[in-house]
Amino acid sequence: MSLWSYFVSNDDKEMCKWKHYFPAYEQHFSRFVNRPIFVLEIGVNSGGSLQMWKQFFGPHAQIVGIDINPECSTLAEDQIEIRIGDQSDAQFLQGILDEFGTPDIVIDDGSHNMSHVRPTFEYLYPRTSPNGVYFVEDMHTAYWDDYGGGLGHPNSFIELAKGLVDELNAEWTRGAVTPTDFTKSTMSMHFYDSCVVFERGRLLPRSAPVTGKSAGKQRGWFSKSR
């Protein structure tokens, strides 16, 4: 069953998701189905999305939801654990990692406030699986001043992500940007309406081989040193 099919037929715990997120979920999460993974979702609400992830990822997935509301602790069930704490508290987050290990997928659907989203990303992203996915939802709030954002606001997560595009491409900037741990651990970034997704992965030395009948001839920019 697809995530969208599960969502529209849901008759269990309540959940609310923007319709246009679902193709992105399938695009980035499908490779983890039926794998022994740890999924960390920030923001529990009524617990419906935790059940959706459990159904989608299958019987080997450990789903952990974190929320600041202590009433959410009653929503735990088989494969689903709930922990109560502040998503921007590094000590709390480290306690989650100590207990459950390295997350393969992090989904930030928490407060959507820039004062929470940024420090959560800065702490958890380097501690996400080397082949994992970090999915930040509802970033329309990055443009709203009541969430600590605004168009071009320096504290906006969107502005942080814009800068990370340069870090992703640091090797090509001819020294203008120094490669960072982000450069060395990130395969790709994906911007969707209201969402930013980061795909981590192993990076091999860059090369651009030429194939075909004229492969023995050096031509074009492929043959130039960078």
Side-chain angles (χ1 to χ4, degrees), residues 128-139:
T128 301
S129 167
N131 295 304
V133 175
Y134 198 105
F135 199 115
V136 186
E137 298 188 3
D138 294 350
M139 281 299 94

Side-chain angles (χ1 to χ4, degrees), residues 201-219:
R202 180 186 296 275
L203 296 175
L204 297 176
R206 290 164 176 78
S207 65
V210 178
T211 65
K213 292 182 179 180
S214 60
K217 300 178 182 179
Q218 291 193 347
R219 55 188 173 82

Side-chain angles (χ1 to χ4, degrees), residues 95-126:
I96 298 294
L97 305 185
D98 291 343
E99 182 177 4
F100 296 101
T102 301
D104 298 284
I105 295 173
V106 177
I107 304 164
D108 189 344
D109 188 21
S111 74
H112 312 308
N113 193 295
M114 300 306 104
S115 64
H116 296 150
V117 176
R118 286 184 63 128
T120 303
F121 176 82
E122 289 165 356
Y123 192 80
L124 283 182
Y125 185 73

Side-chain angles (χ1 to χ4, degrees), residues 42-216:
I42 301 163
V44 172
N45 199 9
S46 299
S49 63
L50 298 176
Q51 292 184 321
M52 180 174 72
W53 303 132
K54 172 182 168 179
Q55 171 70 27
F56 179 70
F57 289 115
H60 303 300
Q62 171 70 72
I63 315 297
V64 178
I66 63 175
D67 204 287
I68 202 167
N69 181 2
E71 295 180 2
C72 292
S73 60
T74 62
L75 300 173
E77 60 181 65
D78 179 46
Q79 292 182 240
I80 296 176
E81 296 289 343
I82 309 293
R83 296 294 180 267
I84 305 302
D86 182 343
Q87 73 171 87
S88 62
D89 181 345
Q91 186 174 355
F92 168 67
L93 295 176
Q94 186 57 52
I96 298 294
L97 305 185
D98 291 343
E99 182 177 4
F100 296 101
T102 301
D104 298 284
I105 295 173
V106 177
I107 304 164
D108 189 344
D109 188 21
S111 74
H112 312 308
N113 193 295
M114 300 306 104
S115 64
H116 296 150
V117 176
R118 286 184 63 128
T120 303
F121 176 82
E122 289 165 356
Y123 192 80
L124 283 182
Y125 185 73
R127 294 167 174 83
T128 301
S129 167
N131 295 304
V133 175
Y134 198 105
F135 199 115
V136 186
E137 298 188 3
D138 294 350
M139 281 299 94
H140 42 273
T141 63
Y143 298 95
W144 299 349
D145 57 6
D146 50 332
Y147 281 78
L151 181 62
H153 194 290
N155 291 332
S156 161
F157 186 78
I158 292 296
E159 291 303 308
L160 171 68
K162 289 177 184 178
L164 289 174
V165 172
D166 292 329
E167 285 191 37
L168 181 70
N169 291 287
E171 298 283 1
W172 303 98
T173 65
R174 296 179 173 175
V177 178
T178 301
T180 64
D181 288 340
F182 181 87
T183 310
K184 299 170 185 176
S185 65
T186 305
M187 292 289 292
S188 61
M189 297 172 60
H190 305 259
F191 289 84
Y192 298 92
D193 179 347
S194 305
C195 295
V196 186
V197 186
F198 303 84
E199 293 263 8
R200 290 167 62 84
R202 180 186 296 275
L203 296 175
L204 297 176
R206 290 164 176 78
S207 65
V210 178
T211 65
K213 292 182 179 180
S214 60

